[in-house]
Amino acid sequence: MITMNEKGLIVTYDEQLAESAKRFLNFCEEIPGATASLPQITLRLDVDLAGDFEIHQQDQQVTITGRDESQVFYGAAKALQGQLLQQPVSGLFYGGIQERCFMIDMGRKFFSLASLKQLVRSLALFQFTHLQLHFSENEGFRIESEA
């Protein structure tokens, strides 16, 4: 299947990766300069892949193969990161760290929804797997409540 966003980014994908392809296109649209720097992308699933994901670049074509949907997304994020830094990446990648966590203390400082969304995009770009939001503290509880 083939999908193209409004900015001309073309993503080809296996049928079982339809949701991942949509998520990746949305992800690219939210990052400034992302769609302009990316060539055509093909997303594939291969449960027998030796590593977690593989990126193969040739001319204006990038093929990302992963063992499962999450690894395909991590591979796509890694390829995007390389394009944004103008250092294209290729090869077989292994996840050295199973969990990459980030904790933000919201009990003492206010964070807007827009800044949290930007943080989530940044964490996805650097392949973080968990975000912990620390809401309460003895200093206060910063969640708006109608009750």
Side-chain angles (χ1 to χ4, degrees), residues 48 111 113 131:
D48 298 324
F111 290 90
L113 181 59
L131 170 63

Side-chain angles (χ1 to χ4, degrees), residues 104-111 116 133-136 142:
I104 188 164
D105 187 353
M106 302 176 75
R108 296 185 181 136
K109 182 178 182 330
F110 173 77
F111 290 90
L116 288 175
L133 301 176
H134 183 77
F135 287 120
S136 66
R142 306 247 188 252

Side-chain angles (χ1 to χ4, degrees), residues 7-20:
K7 301 200 171 128
L9 175 63
I10 299 171
V11 176
T12 309
Y13 53 90
D14 296 341
E15 191 173 323
Q16 63 266 37
L17 293 173
E19 278 301 311
S20 294

Side-chain angles (χ1 to χ4, degrees), residues 17 19-28 30-31 43-45 52-53 55 64-81 120-128:
L17 293 173
E19 278 301 311
S20 294
K22 273 196 261 183
R23 195 175 315 120
F24 180 66
L25 282 169
N26 291 337
F27 178 69
C28 288
E30 294 173 349
I31 296 176
L43 304 177
R44 293 203 175 120
L45 212 54
D52 289 333
F53 60 86
I55 302 172
I64 299 154
T65 308
R67 282 187 301 139
D68 57 36
E69 280 192 66
S70 64
Q71 295 303 328
V72 170
F73 183 81
Y74 291 148
K78 182 76 169 176
L80 174 61
Q81 183 184 17
V120 168
R121 285 190 286 278
S122 297
L123 293 175
L125 188 60
F126 290 99
Q127 303 169 358
F128 276 73

